[in-house]
């Protein structure tokens, strides 16, 4: 059943805009699949879906009615910051990036996907991304690079 449910979720997200879990639950119900919010939340995590400006998206960038980038990958850091980014600040070897509510996950995913050499890792909340760098020098470089993207 889990395999069928995951396939249905992938299909729904890839073919139509799904903006929240309740909408996804209703669409699954129309397909004869009953699911609780807790199970749906786990499925979203297991499928590595993230929420973008157009709704939920698959890790390969498909979904929410959004087209793939030319290279077939997810949106770039600059594109995601254009949609969600608000401000950036450095603290020692860390960079704190504030986003619109719900924007931290797609921003962190884009940073992770691009594999910036100065970035050791990211942690995303709901509206805040913590970017951990190797040292303060690299954090200053990352802050500057992100700030340029936010201001462009």
């Amino acid at each position: 059943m889990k395999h069928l449910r995951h396939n249905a979720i992938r299909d729904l997200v890839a073919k139509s805009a799904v903006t929240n879990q309740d909408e996804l639950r209703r669409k699954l119900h129309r397909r004869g699949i009953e699911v609780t919010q807790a199970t749906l939340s786990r499925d979203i995590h297991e499928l590595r879906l993230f929420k973008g400006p157009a709704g939920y998206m698959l890790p390969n960038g498909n979904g929410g009615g959004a087209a793939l980038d030319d290279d077939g990958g997810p949106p770039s850091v600059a594109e995601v910051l254009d949609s969600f980014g608000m401000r950036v600040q450095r603290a020692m070897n860390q960079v704190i990036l504030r986003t619109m509510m719900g924007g931290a996950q797609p921003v962190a995913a884009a940073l992770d996907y691009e594999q910036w050499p100065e970035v050791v890792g990211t942690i995303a909340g709901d509206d805040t991304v913590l970017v951990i760098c190797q040292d303060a020098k690299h954090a200053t470089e990352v802050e500057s690079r992100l700030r340029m993207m936010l201001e462009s």
Side-chain angles (χ1 to χ4, degrees):
M1 184 65 181
K2 181 178 178 178
H3 179 69
L4 293 173
R5 191 175 63 243
H6 279 199
N7 283 341
I9 292 169
R10 282 187 200 98
D11 186 54
L12 286 167
V13 169
K15 292 182 178 175
S16 65
V18 178
T19 58
N20 58 52
Q21 286 187 17
D22 192 53
E23 181 181 353
L24 181 56
R25 187 188 56 74
R26 286 192 311 269
K27 287 183 178 194
L28 287 168
H29 174 74
R30 282 186 226 126
R31 288 187 174 201
I33 300 171
E34 296 297 326
V35 63
T36 65
Q37 186 278 328
T39 299
L40 190 54
S41 185
R42 273 192 302 276
D43 288 344
I44 288 169
H45 178 75
E46 289 172 7
L47 292 169
R48 300 182 66 208
L49 301 180
F50 66 91
K51 200 169 184 179
Y56 283 104
M57 298 180 75
L58 296 166
N60 65 3
N62 282 331
L68 286 174
D69 288 349
D70 292 339
D71 66 358
S76 69
V77 173
E79 291 169 327
V80 180
L81 282 179
D82 187 47
S83 296
F84 297 113
M86 292 177 63
R87 63 184 178 273
V88 64
Q89 177 181 351
R90 185 183 67 82
M92 306 277 295
N93 70 316
Q94 302 168 357
V95 177
I96 295 87
L97 185 57
R98 297 289 183 168
T99 69
M100 294 171 33
M101 192 62 73
Q105 291 289 328
V107 171
L111 279 164
D112 291 342
Y113 182 80
E114 287 190 10
Q115 298 179 340
W116 292 9
E118 309 88 352
V119 175
V120 175
T122 61
I123 300 173
D126 210 22
D127 64 352
T128 305
V129 179
L130 175 63
V131 182
I132 304 166
C133 300
Q134 299 164 351
D135 53 36
K137 177 181 176 258
H138 287 105
T140 300
E141 293 170 8
V142 169
E143 177 195 25
S144 175
R145 191 169 167 190
L146 292 170
R147 189 176 308 282
M148 283 180 22
M149 290 179 189
L150 284 170
E151 293 173 354
S152 65

